[in-house]
């Protein structure tokens, strides 16, 4: 799961929980406030009733309902009272004959509670306890909650709407903020992709402090890889240099006049030094392949092939070669040394065999396609099959198509590309086709 | 013939100098880059044999110094580093030939002779016909001494074939054979498009259409 999704989900869950709790609390507060207000009114009416209590001549406690609001006289008005003197109850006229169930309370106590009224209406009841004239008196005043409930429901819905609106805006804002906060990571990812494609050597360092060590570590590793390659190439170069001078002397020794009388010895010396030389060249070149290198400097096929053409024309100066080039001018992110090695070897091979004309083509269609064709004798089809046989070391297999094609095969292999040989349909000679994938 | 041999390995340059003297050359030797550069810049040598791995001043730098100073003495680069990019860089710096170590002495002598033979008349990269100058290396065309205009591969091939056969009527089939590459499928309509583009570059009155026959490169009779 992406970091953005994970953060987003966590935030939505937390925000949702907070808003549900908040809404429940607010709902309770609204309800309590409404009921408190009602209770105040009920208390007023209750005390008015209590004030109106009198003591009649026949030692009876009396009260005057007329002192309080007329709604208690209207039938089922939603406002009720029940005065209890000891066990004797005096209900309000509005109750009709409904037996209002009230809780008994002690003297100087009061109690607020819910009860069921006539026709199952919810009632809020306040019961006050008192002792007057030696009698225990309980005055219960009740009010229908339906109307208040209705009002409260409206407020609840409105408040729920408002809450949801705030919730969704908060989620939206936070998502945007997460996205904004994670933008440097997306940049780093894009840059890493470029690094993988060879587009750049290191990734940018303008990232948040938390990601900085990671970026530095990656850059460090990239540098390390590039430096290792450079070091090993330098070491290879030095080794080549160290080995080749003695090799040259060995070759020269074969020319010594002392061997004039022993052509067999000279031939053996020559043969063996050439074998060593080939082996050294082959392995040194192989060791120099950068291959599927992540950080490759750019390579300009057009100008490099032109330079290569000039080089080959100088090397094959005794041959009237016509080398035609088709190559894009855009930069490719491949290791220059490897590409030059592929092109150089293929072209060298073509120059060796061509009568006159060579076509070099480098095209970009999904990958890099390199086609080198010549108008030479080409290769017999059974030899071609032999050339392309898997696992066959090319330099050992076909005479003339020497070391070069073997190196090309090695480089192409390390780029996970493909190498094919055939006959050129336009020039009639040998055709070598290399395809390398662009995205590695 | 006087040669300059710049090489730092005594085990290497002494027998080599002997071989060269044996072949009839007068040989001066230098054992580091700075000395070699100085000798090459001050003495009139017919050719130089230059090792690339030199102390004090690298071989390629020596060569660049000579070429920057306008010294066109033929130079054969001698090196143990034989990767293609190194050869190309050597030629870019102005080398005339490149011999990889180890080599047979005969090989070097043969290459030396070849370089000496061709170096004075070695300019086959430009083709000039009817005021149009074609640079075959850079694939550019210059019309009447104007600016060099870059050509696409097919434009270049078509123009070059027309110029090489100036004054001759060339059929579409003939032109097609010399224009298409390995991956392109021949299509005669494409030729007309390219001829049109070439006319824009070299001017309308140089490439003529012969109905039913083909095209002709040349001035109007």
């Amino acid at each position: 799961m992406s970091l953005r999704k994970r953060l987003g989900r966590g935030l939505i869950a937390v925000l949702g929980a907070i808003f549900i709790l908040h809404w429940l609390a607010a709902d309770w507060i609204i309800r309590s406030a409404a009921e408190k207000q009602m209770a105040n009114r009920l208390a007023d009416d209750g005390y008015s009733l209590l004030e109106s209590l009198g003591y009649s001549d026949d030692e009876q406690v009396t009260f005057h309902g007329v002192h309080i609001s007329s709604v208690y006289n209207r039938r089922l008005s939603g406002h009720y009272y029940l005065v209890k003197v000891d066990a004797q109850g005096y209900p309000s006229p509005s109750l009709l004959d409904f037996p209002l169930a009230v809780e008994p309370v002690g003297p100087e106590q009061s109690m607020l509670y819910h009860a069921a009224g006539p026709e199952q209406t919810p009632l809020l009841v306040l019961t006050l306890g008192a002792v007057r004239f030696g009698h225990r008196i309980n005055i219960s005043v009740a009010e229908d909650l339906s109307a208040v409930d209705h009002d409260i429901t409206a407020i609840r819905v409105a408040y729920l709407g408002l809450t949801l609106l705030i919730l969704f805006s908060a989620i939206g804002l936070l998502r945007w903020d997460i996205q904004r906060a994670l933008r440097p990571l997306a940049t780093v990812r894009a840059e890493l992709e470029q690094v993988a494609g060879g587009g750049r050597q290191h990734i940018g360092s303008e990232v948040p402090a938390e990601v900085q060590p990671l970026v530095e570590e990656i850059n460090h590793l990239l540098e390390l890889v590039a430096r290792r390659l450079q070091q090993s190439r330098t070491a290879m170069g030095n080794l080549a240099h160290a080995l080749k001078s003695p090799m040259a002397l060995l070759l020269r020794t074969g020319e010594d006049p002392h061997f004039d009388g022993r052509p067999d010895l000279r031939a053996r010396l020559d043969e063996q030094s050439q074998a060593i030389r080939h082996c050294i060249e082959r392995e040194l070149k192989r060791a120099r392949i950068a291959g599927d290198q992540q950080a490759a400097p750019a390579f300009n096929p057009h100008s490099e092939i032109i330079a290569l053409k000039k080089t080959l024309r100088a090397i094959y100066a005794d041959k009237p070669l016509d080398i035609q080039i088709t190559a894009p001018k855009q930069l490719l992110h491949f290791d220059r040394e490897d590409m030059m090695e592929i092109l150089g070897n293929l072209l060298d091979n073509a120059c060796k065999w061509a009568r006159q004309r060579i076509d070099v083509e480098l095209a970009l269609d999904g990958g890099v396609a390199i086609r080198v064709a010549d108008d030479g004798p080409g290769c017999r089809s059974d030899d071609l099959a032999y050339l392309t046989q898997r696992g066959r070391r090319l330099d050992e297999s076909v005479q003339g198509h020497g070391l070069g094609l073997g190196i090309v095969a090695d480089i192409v292999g390390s780029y996970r590309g493909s190498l094919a040989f055939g006959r050129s349909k336009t020039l009639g000679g040998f055709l070598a086709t290399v395809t390398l994938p662009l995205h590695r | 013939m006087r040669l300059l041999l710049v090489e730092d390995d005594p085990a290497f340059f002494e027998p080599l100098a002997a071989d060269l003297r044996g072949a009839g050359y007068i040989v001066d030797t230098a054992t580091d880059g700075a000395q070699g550069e100085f000798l090459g810049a001050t003495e009139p040598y017919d050719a130089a044999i230059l090792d690339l791995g030199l102390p004090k001043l690298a071989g390629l730098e020596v060569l660049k110094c000579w070429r920057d100073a306008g010294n066109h003495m033929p130079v054969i680069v001698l090196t143990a580093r034989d990767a293609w990019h190194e050869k190309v860089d050597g030629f870019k710096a102005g080398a005339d030939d490149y011999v990889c170590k180890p080599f047979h002495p005969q090989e070097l002598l043969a290459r030396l002779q070849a370089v000496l033979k061709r170096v004075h008349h070695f300019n086959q990269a430009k083709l000039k016909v009817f005021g149009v100058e074609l640079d075959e290396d850079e694939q550019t065309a210059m019309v009447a001494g104007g600016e060099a205009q870059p050509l696409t591969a097919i434009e270049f091939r078509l123009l070059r074939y027309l110029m090489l056969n100036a004054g001759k009527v060339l059929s579409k089939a003939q032109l097609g054979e010399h224009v298409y590459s390995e991956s392109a499928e021949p299509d005669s309509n494409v030729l007309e498009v390219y001829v049109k583009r070439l006319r824009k570059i070299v001017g309308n009155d140089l490439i003529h259409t012969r109905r039913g026959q083909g095209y002709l490169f040349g001035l109007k009779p």
Side-chain angles (χ1 to χ4, degrees):
Chain A
M1 204 202 302
S2 78
L3 201 54
R4 188 168 64 84
K5 256 189 191 159
R6 190 175 297 182
L7 280 173
R9 279 190 194 179
L11 269 169
I12 289 171
V14 170
L15 273 178
I18 288 173
F19 271 86
I20 286 169
L21 285 174
H22 168 80
W23 181 76
L24 286 175
D27 184 54
W28 180 79
I29 288 167
I30 293 167
R31 214 185 154 78
S32 307
E35 285 187 2
K36 177 89 184 151
Q37 215 177 6
M38 250 166 94
N40 284 341
R41 267 205 319 276
L42 291 177
D44 283 349
D45 287 353
Y47 285 115
S48 301
L49 277 171
L50 202 57
E51 310 277 282
S52 72
L53 286 177
Y55 200 62
S56 68
D57 299 338
D58 49 354
E59 296 190 346
Q60 287 285 311
V61 177
T62 60
F63 76 98
H64 302 282
V66 290
H67 285 290
I68 59 168
S69 171
S70 63
V71 292
Y72 292 96
N73 295 328
R74 220 163 54 228
R75 301 162 40 124
L76 298 177
S77 63
H79 295 260
Y80 313 105
Y81 61 78
L82 175 65
V83 179
K84 274 192 167 172
V85 180
D86 295 329
Q88 181 69 38
Y90 303 94
S92 65
S94 55
L95 264 173
L96 300 181
D97 288 331
F98 182 78
L100 185 65
V102 296
E103 309 277 334
V105 300
E108 304 309 321
Q109 283 183 336
S110 71
M111 195 178 180
L112 187 71
Y113 55 95
H114 293 259
E119 296 167 359
Q120 288 303 309
T121 50
L123 296 180
L124 184 69
V125 186
L126 178 74
T127 302
L128 302 167
V131 176
R132 287 286 189 279
F133 319 110
H135 295 277
R136 280 174 64 103
I137 293 165
N138 270 7
I139 295 177
S140 301
V141 193
E143 190 175 333
D144 187 354
L145 274 171
S146 303
V148 174
D149 264 354
H150 192 263
D151 286 350
I152 285 177
T153 305
I155 292 170
R156 266 173 156 176
V157 168
Y159 190 70
L160 183 67
L162 185 70
T163 305
L164 287 178
L165 184 73
I166 292 171
L167 178 65
F168 285 123
S169 330
I171 288 172
L173 278 172
L174 281 168
R175 280 176 80 107
W176 172 77
D177 192 51
I178 288 174
Q179 215 150 4
R180 202 179 54 93
L182 291 180
R183 207 170 295 151
L185 283 183
T187 317
V188 168
R189 206 182 75 176
E191 287 183 353
L192 269 177
E193 272 170 15
Q194 281 182 314
V195 168
R200 58 192 300 158
Q201 264 86 329
H202 56 87
I203 53 180
S205 42
E206 289 201 10
V207 289
E210 292 86 346
V211 191
Q212 187 74 38
L214 192 69
V215 166
E216 276 167 14
E217 197 55 39
I218 291 171
N219 279 336
H220 177 67
L221 279 174
L222 289 172
E223 263 171 45
L224 198 69
V225 169
R227 203 166 56 229
R228 286 265 159 85
L229 177 71
Q230 200 48 49
Q231 278 170 351
S232 84
R233 281 181 165 180
T234 310
M236 284 301 148
N238 292 340
L239 181 60
H241 199 77
L243 282 174
K244 281 178 175 179
S245 291
M247 276 305 304
L249 278 179
L250 210 55
L251 284 173
R252 251 196 63 80
T253 310
E255 307 292 323
D256 197 284
H258 287 96
F259 284 107
D260 283 353
R262 294 295 303 274
D264 56 325
L265 273 184
R266 173 177 283 166
R268 205 188 300 164
L269 185 64
D270 217 42
E271 193 184 305
Q272 292 311 310
S273 5
Q274 290 293 3
I276 297 173
R277 174 188 172 175
H278 266 98
C279 181
I280 291 171
E281 272 177 24
R282 164 85 195 210
E283 292 310 321
L284 289 182
K285 283 202 168 186
R286 190 181 272 205
R288 288 178 62 84
I289 296 172
D292 201 357
Q293 185 70 46
Q294 295 280 296
F299 163 82
N300 182 336
H302 191 260
S303 63
E304 295 287 12
I305 294 176
I306 286 179
L308 196 56
K309 172 183 167 178
K310 289 180 181 171
T311 307
L312 283 160
R313 270 228 317 259
I315 292 175
Y316 292 89
D318 48 342
K319 220 169 172 180
L321 288 175
D322 172 8
I323 304 172
Q324 303 211 346
I325 300 167
T326 313
K329 282 188 178 156
Q330 79 192 74
L331 287 181
L332 291 182
H333 294 292
F334 280 95
D335 184 81
R336 175 177 177 250
E337 294 191 17
D338 285 350
M339 293 303 280
M340 291 305 278
E341 209 56 34
I342 292 178
L343 289 163
N345 281 309
L346 290 180
L347 269 164
D348 185 43
N349 192 54
C351 288
K352 212 176 283 169
W353 294 93
R355 268 192 293 271
Q356 197 185 355
R357 183 150 162 208
I358 294 162
D359 263 7
V360 195
E361 200 184 336
L362 190 147
L364 300 171
D365 39 7
V368 176
I370 301 168
R371 282 175 279 265
V372 178
D374 63 59
D375 61 353
C379 198
R380 286 192 302 125
S381 50
D382 29 338
D383 280 345
L384 279 179
Y386 203 51
L387 267 180
T388 44
Q389 216 172 325
R390 279 177 75 95
R392 172 78 47 187
R393 282 183 60 162
L394 286 160
D395 47 322
E396 289 169 356
S397 56
V398 173
Q399 281 260 310
H401 293 96
L403 196 60
L405 291 186
I407 293 294
V408 173
D410 284 344
I411 298 174
V412 169
S414 73
Y415 280 90
R416 277 172 241 135
S418 67
L419 173 64
F421 303 114
R423 190 165 282 282
S424 163
K425 60 180 192 230
T426 52
L427 299 184
F430 192 68
L431 168 69
T433 309
V434 168
T435 46
L436 302 173
L438 265 186
H439 296 287
R440 289 159 264 157
Chain B
M1 290 278 190
R2 198 167 163 203
L3 298 183
L4 173 64
L5 173 63
V6 192
E7 160 71 62
D8 64 315
D9 186 354
F12 196 78
F13 77 74
E14 275 162 12
L16 185 59
D19 282 332
L20 290 167
R21 288 190 185 108
Y25 296 99
I26 301 159
V27 183
D28 288 355
T29 54
T31 50
D32 67 60
Q35 191 193 358
E37 199 278 324
F38 175 74
L39 281 176
T42 49
E43 300 290 320
Y45 292 106
D46 293 292
I49 295 166
L50 179 68
D51 186 30
L52 286 192
L54 288 172
K56 290 192 186 170
L57 192 59
L60 273 185
E61 293 302 315
V62 173
L63 184 54
K64 276 180 197 157
C65 287
W66 287 343
R67 295 306 188 225
D68 288 346
N71 187 344
H72 295 296
M73 156 179 71
V75 174
I76 293 180
V77 163
L78 211 58
T79 182
R81 299 173 191 210
D82 58 353
W84 277 100
H85 74 98
E86 290 166 318
K87 290 188 194 175
V88 166
D89 289 344
F91 276 97
K92 275 184 185 168
D96 296 278
D97 206 348
Y98 205 101
V99 175
C100 292
K101 286 181 186 173
F103 52 85
H104 271 295
Q106 286 95 327
E107 190 188 341
L108 179 66
L109 288 172
R111 300 211 75 100
L112 182 61
Q113 277 160 8
V115 165
L116 286 171
K117 223 186 276 176
R118 76 167 191 263
V119 80
H120 298 293
H121 37 88
F122 176 60
N123 191 8
Q124 56 189 56
K126 278 180 185 158
L127 184 65
K128 199 169 174 181
V129 184
F130 297 130
V132 179
E133 196 176 320
L134 196 66
D135 186 322
E136 295 188 46
D137 287 329
E138 300 294 338
Q139 299 196 351
T140 54
M142 233 157 75
V143 181
E147 237 177 79
Q149 301 183 57
L151 301 170
T152 67
I154 293 188
E155 286 166 1
F156 167 73
R157 289 174 193 183
L158 186 58
L159 181 58
R160 194 177 64 152
Y161 194 68
L162 286 167
M163 285 171 71
L164 284 172
N165 293 283
K168 282 185 223 163
V169 178
L170 300 166
S171 73
K172 278 188 183 178
Q174 247 175 314
L175 288 170
E177 272 172 35
H178 289 266
V179 160
Y180 291 113
S181 61
E182 215 49 58
S183 63
E185 283 302 318
D187 173 5
S188 63
N189 289 333
V190 173
L191 259 178
E192 285 165 27
V193 177
Y194 282 106
V195 167
K196 217 175 198 177
R197 287 205 214 160
L198 279 184
R199 281 189 177 132
K200 268 192 193 153
I201 294 169
V202 302
N204 270 330
D205 43 357
L206 267 179
I207 304 174
H208 310 285
T209 310
R210 291 285 157 89
R211 276 200 196 286
Q213 297 177 57
Y215 296 98
L216 180 143
F217 186 83
L219 293 172
K220 268 217 169 99

